[in-house]
DNA sequence: TAGATTGTTAATCGATTAACAATC
DNA sequence: TAGATTGTTAATCGATTAACAATC
């Protein structure tokens, strides 16, 4: 498996993450019909260093114009390609509890063209209901749904105790990518992509930074 | 401002993040009254390499026992200190919409002793209601609430357009740490800690990895 | 004891930053 | 033109990993 982009270079993960924020700035500029954007401008808006933005943008293969910067539309297209926009697909969410229902309603994904089309749960209070305009269906029907709707991304917002089991089921019916919000490391076969999120690790960082400041005041 | 831990070494941020997951394993072990845990055991459960765990644990200052590993209780205490457990405080959440209401109900923070005590919003459909047993109060009363409840952490789950404004208000009344889920970089004075979360960056990584796999199959 | 595991120093790897020439 | 900005190579920085001696 290669990790190469169009230029034959591997794109660092931190760069990929920042690209999500470049897209946001670019969308704003495009809406205002601004044609050019410089790395200085990016840096100012995102509290980054121009040099870092410049380095990141080299991975797009787009060349800028000294004194002007980069063509907004062209750059957007290139970043979208790197982020895999072209192959993106719909998602199914499993576990429509607290965090799950939030993701169902989170508007922030729209700009990335990401849509959760249906949710599964076993809680009788939820099954049959609609959360943020998305149906909640019983987990028993997981396999049927995935096949019928042709989704290829699964979002796991289930308790840790059942995370692996559900991941196995998702994989057995052809899901290729799992966005896992359960605090467990999933074991998956080669070729299956897991993106692990851990809200608590952010909390740990916040706490730690806070205590360091307090120590010195 | 020093970034040093008890040993006079600065603890790398990736290590801090992993420590949140070590705590989870330790809590499980403690509950089962297991006395020792080895770096091998950590590694197996978290899909890490033993050498990395060992390196991380050096920052705790705790020494292990060859053939046994580390004392579960002792290690937990040390990690909690590094994570700033001692100075932790309650939080107020601003923006009780999709993501905000999820955080209000998210059980995963309990194990870190983190509690959101109240929420603010301006939406008349939400103000006065209770979400996951937490009151939603009108944003006008933000200042009063913060002072009365003595919270020192603010969680921002508001639209990008009002993020900075609310952050300024929080800071002006003594909030020291902001956990920011709005997709904007906040400008804050020295001494104020901002922990920025960006759900979309995880999505970008997932998409990118997926497209790389598909390219090669 | 034997050997699994720790602890530490050094090597490697990868990302960020600096320096500076090229260019519009 | 002058100079802001790009593009690229090299230096730096920081985290991970390897190697191996120490130890219970």
């Amino acid at each position: 498996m290669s990790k190469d982009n169009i230029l034959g270079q591997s794109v660092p993960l931190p760069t990929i993450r920042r690209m999500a924020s470049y897209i946001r700035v670019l969308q704003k500029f495009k809406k205002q019909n601004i044609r050019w954007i410089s790395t200085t401008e990016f840096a100012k808006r995102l509290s980054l260093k121009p040099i870092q933005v410049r380095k990141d943008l080299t991975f797009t293969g787009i060349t800028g114009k000294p004194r002007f910067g980069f063509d907004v539309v062209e750059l957007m297209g290139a970043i979208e390609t790197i982020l895999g926009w072209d192959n993106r697909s719909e998602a199914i969410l499993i576990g429509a509890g607290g965090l799950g229902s939030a993701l169902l309603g989170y508007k922030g994904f729209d700009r990335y063209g990401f849509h959760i089309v249906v949710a599964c749960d076993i809680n009788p209070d939820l099954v049959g209901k609609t959360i943020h305009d998305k149906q909640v269906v019983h987990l028993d029907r997981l396999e049927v749904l995935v096949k019928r709707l042709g989704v290829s991304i699964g979002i796991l917002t289930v308790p840790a105790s059942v995370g692996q089991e559900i991941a196995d089921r998702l994989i057995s019916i052809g899901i290729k990518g799992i966005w896992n919000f359960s605090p467990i490391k999933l074991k998956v076969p080669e070729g299956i992509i897991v993106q692990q999120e851990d809200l608590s690790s952010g909390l740990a960082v916040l706490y730690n930074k806070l205590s360091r400041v307090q120590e010195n005041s």
Side-chain angles (χ1 to χ4, degrees), chain A:
Chain A
M1 185 183 88
S2 117
K3 292 185 169 187
D4 299 356
N5 77 342
I6 222 160
L7 300 175
Q9 300 159 311
S10 119
V11 184
L13 231 67
T15 297
I16 295 287
R17 290 184 176 279
R18 284 190 295 270
M19 283 187 172
S21 64
Y22 299 154
I23 285 281
R24 283 199 294 266
V25 176
L26 286 167
Q27 286 175 338
K28 198 175 285 178
F29 270 56
K30 193 183 171 190
K31 202 180 259 172
Q32 297 175 245
N33 282 310
I34 303 176
R35 168 113 203 245
W36 302 98
I37 185 165
S38 69
T39 55
T40 325
E41 185 66 34
F42 272 121
K44 206 171 61 191
R45 287 171 180 262
L46 298 168
S47 304
L48 301 171
K49 296 181 178 164
I51 173 71
Q52 186 165 52
V53 179
R54 237 179 317 152
K55 185 68 165 189
D56 284 344
L57 296 190
T58 62
F59 293 100
T60 63
I62 304 296
T63 58
K65 214 165 141 178
R67 292 274 291 159
F68 285 80
F70 293 77
D71 183 295
V72 168
V73 173
E74 189 186 17
L75 190 55
M76 248 180 92
I79 294 182
E80 288 177 352
T81 301
I82 288 179
L83 294 186
W85 245 236
D86 315 326
N87 312 302
R88 68 167 182 260
S89 103
E90 320 273 61
I92 185 169
L93 180 140
I94 299 98
L99 187 56
S101 70
L103 294 179
L104 286 174
Y106 187 53
K107 300 281 192 306
F109 299 142
D110 286 355
R111 58 151 46 90
Y112 301 99
F114 181 72
H115 298 113
I116 307 171
V117 290
V118 70
C120 280
D121 208 299
I122 51 165
N123 183 342
D125 294 345
L126 297 175
V127 171
K129 295 256 165 60
T130 286
I131 300 181
H132 298 291
D133 297 328
K134 275 124 192 178
Q135 265 200 306
V136 182
V137 176
H138 195 280
L139 185 64
D140 288 346
R141 302 192 48 213
L142 177 66
E143 284 76 5
V144 181
L145 280 170
V146 168
K147 289 198 175 138
R148 189 170 72 210
L149 299 170
V151 299
S152 65
I153 292 177
I155 305 179
L156 271 190
T157 45
V158 297
S161 54
V162 295
Q164 183 65 54
E165 176 197 334
I166 305 224
D168 293 343
R169 280 174 67 182
L170 287 171
I171 294 163
S172 75
I173 49 177
I175 289 278
K176 291 284 175 268
I178 296 178
W179 202 6
N180 180 30
F181 288 81
S182 302
I184 44 161
K185 283 271 173 179
L186 297 176
K187 311 234 180 308
V188 300
E190 179 110 353
I192 303 296
I193 302 299
V194 176
Q195 174 61 19
Q196 178 74 36
E197 298 294 336
D198 183 1
L199 283 182
S200 308
S201 79
L203 182 62
V205 173
L206 177 66
Y207 268 152
N208 172 260
K209 286 185 193 158
L210 269 174
S211 66
R212 291 199 302 219
V213 173
Q214 278 162 16
E215 243 162 51
N216 296 279
S217 64

